[in-house]
Amino acid sequence: MAFISTFAISMLFSQLVFVCHCNPTCKLGYPIDEIPVYKEDRYYVHFAQNLEFLEAEYFLWSSYGYGLDVMEPCLTKGGAPPIGGQKANLDPFTLNIIKEFANEEIGHLRAIDSIMGSITRPLLNLTSENFEKIFDEAFGYNLEPPFDPYTDSLHYMLSCYIIPYIGMNGYVGMNPNLKGYASKRLVAGLLGTEAQQDAIIRMYLYERANVVVYPYGYTMADFTARISNMRNQLGMCGIKDEGIIVPCELGAENRTETNVISANYYSLAYSRTPPEILRIVYTTGDEHIPGRFYPDGANGKIAREFLKEP
């Protein structure tokens, strides 16, 4: 009798497990009667979209030899084509990484457009001369020969160190200001991917931390430190950027000099505000004065408001 009871219970349990596996709950639950996207949410995400456009075009041109105007022209919303984009001389391993990044950025732009609507693509400067000036500013003098990100994989990945991290900072910074549940879900997804891209770039460089970048005589770690210091200076809000090798006092729990992930005292991602980000990507140190990657300034309400101010 006990055997029969045990057998019956086990059969019942197996049927319950079967039912559970056949009818899994996969759909996210959202608040009832809540607003998915607030007007103010759009302003923040549209600000970040400027950086998504920069990443999409840079990765596309470098890996495919053409950009959104060929791959997904509808996403540009009629914005001017970038200046100076070209195919980089990448080895197969690096090329595959950048092609993946490029297509992920197309997905980001499509997601933003479908949920928030889209801004017009801003004019972007992807010329080697633009990167040359940025690296000159990071080192405080003109590098000889001029730094060209399209030369080879190492030069290119160093140039990539400049871009996704700032977008990640922006998503962390805007998160507390978002109200709509769809806005929060979108930004969480965008932040996750941006953080993974940045981690891949940093790991790529960390594996080569002691490699000397020919012919400059500086290691990869030196380059990342210089770029991070420049961004901290331009941002004007303290240390929110760290190279791949740091003093122990900046490492995780003050115990490591390895710095594959750039994070604060609590190992949380750094956040930046729109003015900080503009000061950095314009490289003017002034959110009201456009330059470098955005010769005519970034688009959207937040960025354009700064251009109106004296």
Side-chain angles (χ1 to χ4, degrees):
M1 194 71 182
F3 172 77
I4 295 173
S5 300
T6 304
F7 178 76
I9 292 170
S10 65
M11 287 299 294
L12 176 62
F13 179 75
S14 67
Q15 290 298 313
L16 287 173
V17 171
F18 177 76
V19 169
C20 289
H21 281 296
C22 288
N23 299 283
T25 301
C26 299
K27 190 174 181 179
L28 291 173
Y30 289 117
I32 299 173
D33 298 327
E34 289 292 330
I35 299 173
V37 177
Y38 283 74
K39 179 176 67 174
E40 294 80 7
D41 296 347
R42 287 190 170 88
Y43 299 153
Y44 283 107
V45 175
H46 285 164
F47 177 82
Q49 193 178 9
N50 287 286
L51 295 167
E52 298 286 357
F53 272 121
L54 174 60
E55 293 171 34
E57 292 290 8
Y58 189 47
F59 294 148
L60 282 168
W61 274 98
S62 303
S63 58
Y64 285 97
Y66 43 81
L68 287 171
D69 291 298
V70 172
M71 296 289 280
E72 294 290 341
C74 63
L75 294 176
T76 70
K77 305 304 177 184
I83 304 167
Q86 64 184 81
K87 199 170 191 301
N89 181 29
L90 304 178
D91 62 70
F93 175 80
T94 308
L95 177 62
N96 287 338
I97 293 173
I98 302 306
K99 278 187 173 180
E100 180 180 337
F101 284 3
N103 285 288
E104 288 166 354
E105 295 305 325
I106 290 175
H108 290 181
L109 291 171
R110 186 178 290 111
I112 292 171
D113 188 38
S114 65
I115 296 171
M116 298 283 185
S118 214
I119 59 171
T120 301
R121 176 183 58 188
L123 179 63
L124 300 168
N125 185 350
L126 305 180
T127 62
S128 60
E129 291 79 12
N130 184 45
F131 282 95
E132 167 196 334
K133 291 173 183 176
I134 291 172
F135 278 87
D136 287 348
E137 290 165 5
F139 278 87
Y141 68 92
N142 295 341
L143 296 176
E144 287 293 340
F147 187 92
D148 183 351
Y150 301 106
T151 298
D152 58 33
S153 296
L154 291 183
H155 283 71
Y156 184 78
M157 291 302 279
L158 276 172
S159 73
C160 290
Y161 182 82
I162 296 174
I163 302 174
Y165 180 72
I166 300 299
M168 184 188 74
N169 294 155
Y171 285 130
V172 176
M174 79 169 67
N175 183 55
N177 298 309
L178 299 175
K179 299 177 181 177
Y181 67 81
S183 306
K184 294 175 183 177
R185 174 67 186 90
L186 172 65
V187 167
L190 293 168
L191 171 59
T193 307
E194 293 293 322
Q196 290 177 79
Q197 288 179 350
D198 184 63
I200 289 168
I201 292 167
R202 292 181 70 92
M203 189 64 203
Y204 185 105
L205 298 176
Y206 179 75
E207 287 180 328
R208 300 158 178 81
N210 295 318
V211 172
V212 175
V213 183
Y214 180 83
Y216 306 112
Y218 293 98
T219 65
M220 301 288 265
D222 293 331
F223 268 82
T224 64
R226 297 280 186 143
I227 295 167
S228 288
N229 289 340
M230 178 186 69
R231 290 193 295 208
N232 285 329
Q233 291 168 7
L234 289 170
M236 301 180 184
C237 293
I239 295 177
K240 296 188 177 183
D241 219 302
E242 301 164 351
I244 56 175
I245 302 292
V246 294
C248 267
E249 56 266 26
L250 292 178
E253 293 298 301
N254 306 136
R255 295 191 183 108
T256 70
E257 294 180 351
T258 297
N259 201 46
V260 179
I261 304 297
S262 179
N264 68 13
Y265 177 80
Y266 296 102
S267 290
L268 303 177
Y270 288 109
S271 68
R272 281 185 164 122
T273 64
E276 288 177 75
I277 290 170
L278 292 175
R279 291 195 288 267
I280 293 167
V281 297
Y282 291 168
T283 71
T284 59
D286 189 331
E287 59 269 33
H288 308 98
I289 303 175
R292 290 292 176 259
F293 290 118
Y294 301 90
D296 294 339
N299 283 339
K301 179 178 173 60
I302 292 176
R304 300 317 285 185
E305 285 295 325
F306 284 115
L307 294 181
K308 293 178 184 177
E309 295 178 15

